[in-house]
Amino acid sequence: MSASYVALGLGFGAWVWWSLGAASGMAYLTGFAIEKALAMDNVFVIAMIFSYFAVPRAHQHRVLFWGILGVILLRAIMIGAGAAVISQADWVLYIFAGFLIITGIKMLFAADKEYDLGSNRLLKWVRRRCNVTANLHGERFFVRQSDDAGRRRWFMTPLFLALITIEFADVIFAVDSVPAIFAVTTDPFIVYTSNIFAILGLRALYFALAAMVERFHYLKYALAAVLVFIGAKIFAADMLGLAKIPPVLSLGVTLALLAAGVGYSLWKTRGTAAGAESIK
């Protein structure tokens, strides 16, 4: 299923190349590759969230279905806002570029750090302000039960907290990914479609990779290098007196970095079955 979604995205890229030209086609494929790689990083976070809330595999489909719908809506809003800002002030691209470089460097040094989900401020705020059940109630997001005073009230379940956390995590990811695509192209059509075709297969990608997330440990370093490269090429184009770095170079470097990250990860973790037990 995951391979089918990738094929669908690449097929759309072939249509963009044929109908809008090689430059647009390469911009789409570069954006799609970046988004797909960031989606793989998202899989690591989703696996951690499901593990923290002890969400059984049978209910993960429901959370991811609604989560991806929310992601599509949030990306549309963020991309629309970004396109509107850039059309009025193209210098914002340099802010995006600087932000990508800083984010890439931070990601490089934080790749091995473990994140404590229990210290998440959003979760603490929700638990403090809202009624939340202690246990899961099947695949239900809300249940009606008695509070400490005996009054019947609506309670959130941990399944809904998992959904909220996944949506919040995607907002954080979008802060990286949306500027990265705008640094490749400012065409809103290419930006949005490359995002959506990469995100559509996120649920299938999660179930394909959740049991072997540790096999892609070094992908984070490749993603950090990609973000630094995408940001740096904006400044490099100005220094070289170019309108933009050639799309074929951007696509080639992006694919080479990601392939190196995946290949090195698989080689370093060969013969291991890490993660298989964590999913059972």
Coordinates of all heavy atoms in Angstrom, one line a residue, residues 124-162:
K124 N 0.2 18.5 29.3 CA 0.0 19.0 30.6 C -1.2 19.9 30.7 O -2.0 19.8 31.7 CB 1.2 19.6 31.2 CG 2.4 18.6 31.5 CD 3.5 19.4 32.1 CE 4.7 18.4 32.5 NZ 5.8 19.1 33.1
W125 N -1.3 20.9 29.8 CA -2.4 21.9 29.8 C -3.7 21.2 29.6 O -4.7 21.5 30.3 CB -2.1 22.9 28.7 CG -3.1 24.0 28.7 CD1 -3.1 25.2 29.4 CD2 -4.4 24.1 28.0 NE1 -4.2 25.9 29.2 CE2 -5.0 25.3 28.3 CE3 -5.0 23.2 27.1 CZ2 -6.2 25.7 27.8 CZ3 -6.2 23.6 26.6 CH2 -6.8 24.8 26.9
V126 N -3.8 20.2 28.6 CA -5.1 19.5 28.4 C -5.5 18.7 29.6 O -6.7 18.7 30.0 CB -5.0 18.6 27.1 CG1 -6.2 17.8 27.0 CG2 -4.7 19.5 25.9
R127 N -4.6 18.0 30.2 CA -4.9 17.2 31.3 C -5.4 18.0 32.5 O -6.3 17.6 33.3 CB -3.7 16.3 31.8 CG -3.4 15.2 30.8 CD -2.3 14.4 31.3 NE -1.8 13.4 30.4 CZ -2.3 12.2 30.2 NH1 -3.4 11.8 30.8 NH2 -1.8 11.4 29.3
R128 N -4.8 19.2 32.6 CA -5.2 20.1 33.7 C -6.5 20.8 33.5 O -7.3 21.0 34.5 CB -4.1 21.2 33.9 CG -4.1 22.0 35.2 CD -2.9 22.7 35.5 NE -2.5 23.6 34.3 CZ -1.4 23.5 33.6 NH1 -0.6 22.4 33.8 NH2 -1.2 24.3 32.6
R129 N -6.8 21.1 32.3 CA -8.1 21.9 32.0 C -9.3 21.1 31.6 O -10.4 21.5 31.7 CB -7.8 22.9 30.9 CG -6.6 23.9 31.1 CD -7.1 25.0 32.1 NE -6.0 25.9 32.3 CZ -6.2 27.2 32.4 NH1 -7.4 27.7 32.3 NH2 -5.2 28.0 32.7
C130 N -9.0 19.8 31.1 CA -10.1 19.0 30.6 C -10.3 17.7 31.4 O -9.4 17.3 32.1 CB -9.9 18.7 29.1 SG -9.6 20.2 28.1
N131 N -11.5 17.2 31.2 CA -11.7 15.8 31.8 C -11.2 14.8 30.9 O -11.5 14.7 29.7 CB -13.2 15.6 32.0 CG -13.9 16.6 33.0 OD1 -13.3 16.9 34.0 ND2 -15.1 17.1 32.7
V132 N -10.3 13.9 31.4 CA -9.6 12.9 30.6 C -9.7 11.6 31.4 O -9.4 11.5 32.6 CB -8.1 13.2 30.4 CG1 -7.5 12.1 29.5 CG2 -8.0 14.6 29.7
T133 N -10.1 10.5 30.7 CA -10.2 9.2 31.4 C -8.8 8.7 31.6 O -7.9 9.0 30.8 CB -11.1 8.2 30.5 OG1 -10.4 8.0 29.3 CG2 -12.5 8.8 30.3
A134 N -8.7 7.8 32.5 CA -7.4 7.1 32.8 C -7.1 6.0 31.8 O -5.9 5.8 31.5 CB -7.4 6.6 34.2
N135 N -8.1 5.4 31.2 CA -7.9 4.3 30.3 C -8.6 4.5 29.0 O -9.5 5.4 28.8 CB -8.5 3.0 31.0 CG -7.9 2.7 32.3 OD1 -6.6 2.7 32.4 ND2 -8.7 2.5 33.3
L136 N -8.2 3.7 28.0 CA -8.8 3.7 26.7 C -10.3 3.1 26.8 O -10.5 2.3 27.7 CB -8.0 2.9 25.7 CG -6.7 3.4 25.3 CD1 -5.9 2.4 24.6 CD2 -6.8 4.7 24.4
H137 N -11.1 3.6 25.9 CA -12.5 3.1 25.8 C -12.7 2.6 24.4 O -13.5 3.3 23.6 CB -13.5 4.1 26.3 CG -13.5 4.4 27.7 ND1 -14.5 3.9 28.6 CD2 -12.7 5.1 28.5 CE1 -14.2 4.3 29.8 NE2 -13.1 5.0 29.8
G138 N -12.0 1.5 24.0 CA -12.1 1.1 22.6 C -11.6 2.1 21.7 O -10.6 2.7 21.9
E139 N -12.4 2.4 20.6 CA -11.9 3.3 19.6 C -12.6 4.7 19.7 O -12.6 5.5 18.9 CB -12.2 2.8 18.2 CG -13.6 2.5 17.8 CD -13.8 2.1 16.4 OE1 -12.8 1.7 15.8 OE2 -14.9 2.2 15.9
R140 N -13.2 4.9 20.9 CA -14.0 6.1 21.1 C -13.0 7.3 21.6 O -12.1 7.1 22.4 CB -15.0 5.9 22.2 CG -16.1 4.9 21.8 CD -17.0 4.5 22.9 NE -17.9 5.7 23.3 CZ -18.8 5.6 24.2 NH1 -18.9 4.5 25.0 NH2 -19.6 6.7 24.5
F141 N -13.3 8.5 21.0 CA -12.5 9.6 21.4 C -13.1 10.3 22.6 O -12.4 11.0 23.4 CB -12.5 10.7 20.3 CG -11.6 10.2 19.1 CD1 -12.1 10.5 17.8 CD2 -10.4 9.6 19.3 CE1 -11.3 10.1 16.7 CE2 -9.6 9.3 18.2 CZ -10.1 9.5 16.9
F142 N -14.4 10.2 22.8 CA -15.1 10.8 24.0 C -16.1 9.8 24.6 O -16.7 9.0 23.9 CB -15.9 12.0 23.5 CG -15.0 13.2 23.0 CD1 -14.8 13.3 21.6 CD2 -14.5 14.1 23.9 CE1 -14.0 14.3 21.1 CE2 -13.7 15.1 23.3 CZ -13.5 15.2 22.0
V143 N -16.2 9.8 25.9 CA -17.2 9.0 26.6 C -17.9 9.9 27.7 O -17.3 10.9 28.1 CB -16.5 7.8 27.3 CG1 -15.9 6.8 26.3 CG2 -15.4 8.2 28.3
R144 N -19.1 9.5 28.0 CA -19.8 10.2 29.0 C -19.8 9.3 30.3 O -20.3 8.2 30.3 CB -21.3 10.5 28.5 CG -22.1 11.4 29.4 CD -23.4 11.8 28.7 NE -24.2 12.6 29.6 CZ -24.0 13.9 29.7 NH1 -23.1 14.6 29.1 NH2 -24.9 14.6 30.5
Q145 N -19.3 9.9 31.4 CA -19.3 9.2 32.6 C -19.3 10.2 33.8 O -19.3 11.4 33.6 CB -18.0 8.3 32.7 CG -16.7 9.1 32.7 CD -15.5 8.1 32.7 OE1 -15.6 7.1 32.1 NE2 -14.5 8.5 33.3
S146 N -19.4 9.6 35.0 CA -19.6 10.5 36.2 C -18.2 11.0 36.6 O -17.2 10.3 36.6 CB -20.2 9.7 37.3 OG -21.5 9.2 37.0
D147 N -18.2 12.3 37.1 CA -17.0 12.9 37.6 C -16.9 12.6 39.1 O -17.7 11.8 39.7 CB -16.9 14.4 37.3 CG -18.1 15.2 38.0 OD1 -18.8 14.6 38.8 OD2 -18.3 16.3 37.6
D148 N -16.0 13.2 39.8 CA -15.8 13.0 41.2 C -17.0 13.4 42.1 O -17.2 12.8 43.2 CB -14.5 13.7 41.7 CG -13.3 13.2 41.1 OD1 -13.3 12.0 40.7 OD2 -12.3 13.9 41.1
A149 N -17.8 14.3 41.6 CA -19.0 14.8 42.3 C -20.2 14.0 41.9 O -21.3 14.3 42.4 CB -19.2 16.3 42.0
G150 N -20.1 13.0 41.0 CA -21.2 12.2 40.6 C -22.0 12.8 39.5 O -23.0 12.2 39.1
R151 N -21.6 13.9 38.9 CA -22.3 14.5 37.8 C -21.8 13.9 36.4 O -20.6 13.6 36.3 CB -22.0 16.0 37.7 CG -22.7 16.8 38.9 CD -22.2 18.2 38.9 NE -20.8 18.3 39.2 CZ -20.2 19.5 39.4 NH1 -20.8 20.6 39.4 NH2 -18.9 19.5 39.7
R152 N -22.7 13.7 35.5 CA -22.4 13.1 34.2 C -21.8 14.1 33.3 O -22.4 15.2 33.1 CB -23.7 12.5 33.6 CG -24.4 11.5 34.4 CD -23.6 10.2 34.4 NE -23.6 9.5 33.1 CZ -23.0 8.4 32.8 NH1 -22.2 7.8 33.8 NH2 -23.0 7.8 31.7
R153 N -20.6 13.8 32.9 CA -19.9 14.8 32.0 C -19.2 14.0 30.8 O -19.0 12.8 30.9 CB -18.8 15.5 32.8 CG -19.3 16.5 33.9 CD -18.2 17.2 34.6 NE -18.6 18.1 35.6 CZ -19.0 19.3 35.3 NH1 -19.0 19.8 34.1 NH2 -19.4 20.1 36.3
W154 N -18.9 14.8 29.8 CA -18.1 14.2 28.7 C -16.6 14.2 29.1 O -16.1 15.2 29.6 CB -18.3 15.0 27.4 CG -19.6 14.8 26.8 CD1 -20.7 15.6 26.8 CD2 -20.0 13.6 26.0 NE1 -21.8 15.0 26.1 CE2 -21.3 13.8 25.6 CE3 -19.3 12.4 25.7 CZ2 -22.0 12.8 24.9 CZ3 -20.0 11.5 24.9 CH2 -21.3 11.7 24.5
F155 N -16.0 13.1 28.8 CA -14.5 12.9 29.1 C -13.8 12.6 27.8 O -14.3 11.9 27.0 CB -14.3 11.8 30.1 CG -14.5 12.2 31.5 CD1 -15.8 12.4 32.0 CD2 -13.4 12.3 32.4 CE1 -16.0 12.7 33.3 CE2 -13.6 12.6 33.7 CZ -14.9 12.8 34.2
M156 N -12.6 13.2 27.6 CA -11.7 12.8 26.5 C -11.1 11.4 26.9 O -10.9 11.2 28.1 CB -10.6 13.8 26.3 CG -11.0 15.1 25.9 SD -9.5 16.2 25.7 CE -10.3 17.8 25.3
T157 N -10.8 10.6 25.9 CA -10.0 9.4 26.2 C -8.6 9.6 25.8 O -8.3 10.5 25.0 CB -10.7 8.2 25.4 OG1 -10.4 8.4 24.0 CG2 -12.1 8.1 25.7
P158 N -7.7 8.8 26.3 CA -6.3 8.8 25.8 C -6.1 8.7 24.3 O -5.2 9.2 23.7 CB -5.6 7.7 26.5 CG -6.4 7.5 27.8 CD -7.9 7.8 27.3
L159 N -7.1 8.1 23.6 CA -7.0 8.0 22.2 C -7.2 9.3 21.5 O -6.5 9.6 20.5 CB -8.2 7.1 21.7 CG -8.0 6.5 20.2 CD1 -6.9 5.5 20.2 CD2 -9.3 5.8 19.8
F160 N -8.0 10.2 22.1 CA -8.1 11.6 21.6 C -6.9 12.4 21.9 O -6.5 13.2 21.1 CB -9.4 12.2 22.1 CG -9.7 13.6 21.5 CD1 -10.1 13.6 20.2 CD2 -9.5 14.7 22.2 CE1 -10.4 14.9 19.6 CE2 -9.8 16.0 21.6 CZ -10.2 16.0 20.3
L161 N -6.3 12.1 23.1 CA -5.1 12.8 23.4 C -4.0 12.5 22.4 O -3.1 13.3 22.0 CB -4.6 12.5 24.8 CG -5.4 13.1 26.0 CD1 -4.7 12.8 27.3 CD2 -5.6 14.6 25.8
A162 N -3.9 11.2 22.0 CA -3.0 10.8 21.0 C -3.2 11.5 19.7 O -2.2 12.0 19.0 CB -3.1 9.3 20.8

